[in-house]
């Protein structure tokens, strides 16, 4: 069958082809937009809005990657700010947030990229530290505490 472009049947085929191309292009654009939104939502879920560091969700993702290497041992450390509620009530929310951001900054400076940590709720942080020797671990935790206590000197 020979269809010529100038005929009504040819015009219909060209229009149908154009519609199919536009539909496929629309589907492609929707899929790209959806992928970007999903990636943005995953990044938002993995980020603590107060500190800008990992959220609990982000920590779990990093933890799964880190612990997949069975050659390394990790110590799980839970830290919280003693009497944080009193600080928050006495000095206000912004000063309380400054304390938590300071703690986050100290941890960022003291830990390697292979040692994820997160503020998991309120004033509680979870750290995944490479576990070498107990005395070395104690010394590192002491340095972290000293860095946190420098907040009081400012």
């Amino acid at each position: 069958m020979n269809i010529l472009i100038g005929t009504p049947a040819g015009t219909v085929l060209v229009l149908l082809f154009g519609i199919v191309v536009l539909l496929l292009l629309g589907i492609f654009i929707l899929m790209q937009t959806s992928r970007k939104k999903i990636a943005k939502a995953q990044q938002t879920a993995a980020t603590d809005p107060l500190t800008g560091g990992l959220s609990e969700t982000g920590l779990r993702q990093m933890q799964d990657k880190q612990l997949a290497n069975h050659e390394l041992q990790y110590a799980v450390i839970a830290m919280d700010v003693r009497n944080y509620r009193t600080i928050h009530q006495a000095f206000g929310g912004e000063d309380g947030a400054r304390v938590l951001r300071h703690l986050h900054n100290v941890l960022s400076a003291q830990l390697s990229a292979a040692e994820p940590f997160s503020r998991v709720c309120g004033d509680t942080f979870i750290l995944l530290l490479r576990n070498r020797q107990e005395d070395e671990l104690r010394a590192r935790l002491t340095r972290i505490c000293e860095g946190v206590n420098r907040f009081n000197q400012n």
Side-chain angles (χ1 to χ4, degrees):
M1 175 185 332
N2 191 2
I3 300 176
L4 299 173
I5 297 297
T7 66
T11 303
V12 169
L13 277 175
V14 169
L15 285 173
L16 285 175
F17 179 75
I19 290 171
V20 168
V21 167
L22 287 174
L23 284 172
L24 290 174
L25 182 62
I27 290 170
F28 176 76
I29 290 170
L30 283 173
M31 288 174 56
Q32 292 293 33
T33 303
S34 294
R35 284 186 184 133
K36 288 178 183 177
K37 286 182 180 180
I38 289 170
K40 176 72 172 163
Q42 288 173 334
Q43 181 181 3
T44 300
T47 304
D48 176 20
L50 181 71
T51 65
L54 289 176
S55 67
E56 184 174 1
T57 300
L59 178 65
R60 287 176 195 246
Q61 292 169 354
M62 290 289 294
Q63 165 190 312
D64 291 344
K65 290 176 188 174
Q66 299 300 88
L67 297 180
N69 182 353
H70 300 290
E71 304 284 322
L72 300 174
Q73 293 183 352
Y74 285 89
V76 178
I77 308 293
M79 296 179 69
D80 69 5
V81 179
R82 187 175 295 155
N83 299 319
Y84 177 75
R85 180 173 285 169
T86 303
I87 295 168
H88 190 273
Q89 289 173 345
F91 298 102
E94 186 52 41
D95 282 338
R98 280 187 37 232
V99 169
L100 297 176
R101 285 192 290 269
H102 174 74
L103 178 53
H104 175 269
N105 292 339
V106 169
L107 293 172
S108 292
Q110 294 283 337
L111 304 182
S112 75
E115 297 175 309
F117 69 94
S118 169
R119 183 177 73 96
V120 293
C121 67
D123 65 329
T124 302
F125 286 76
I126 300 293
L127 294 65
L128 206 60
L129 301 182
R130 283 197 175 166
N131 190 9
R132 296 176 186 96
Q133 300 291 329
E134 185 176 337
D135 56 340
E136 183 183 343
L137 189 58
R138 286 182 194 274
R140 290 185 72 201
L141 291 172
T142 298
R143 285 192 304 272
I144 289 170
C145 290
E146 289 168 353
V148 170
N149 287 332
R150 283 190 201 103
F151 182 84
N152 296 328
Q153 297 169 355
N154 296 333

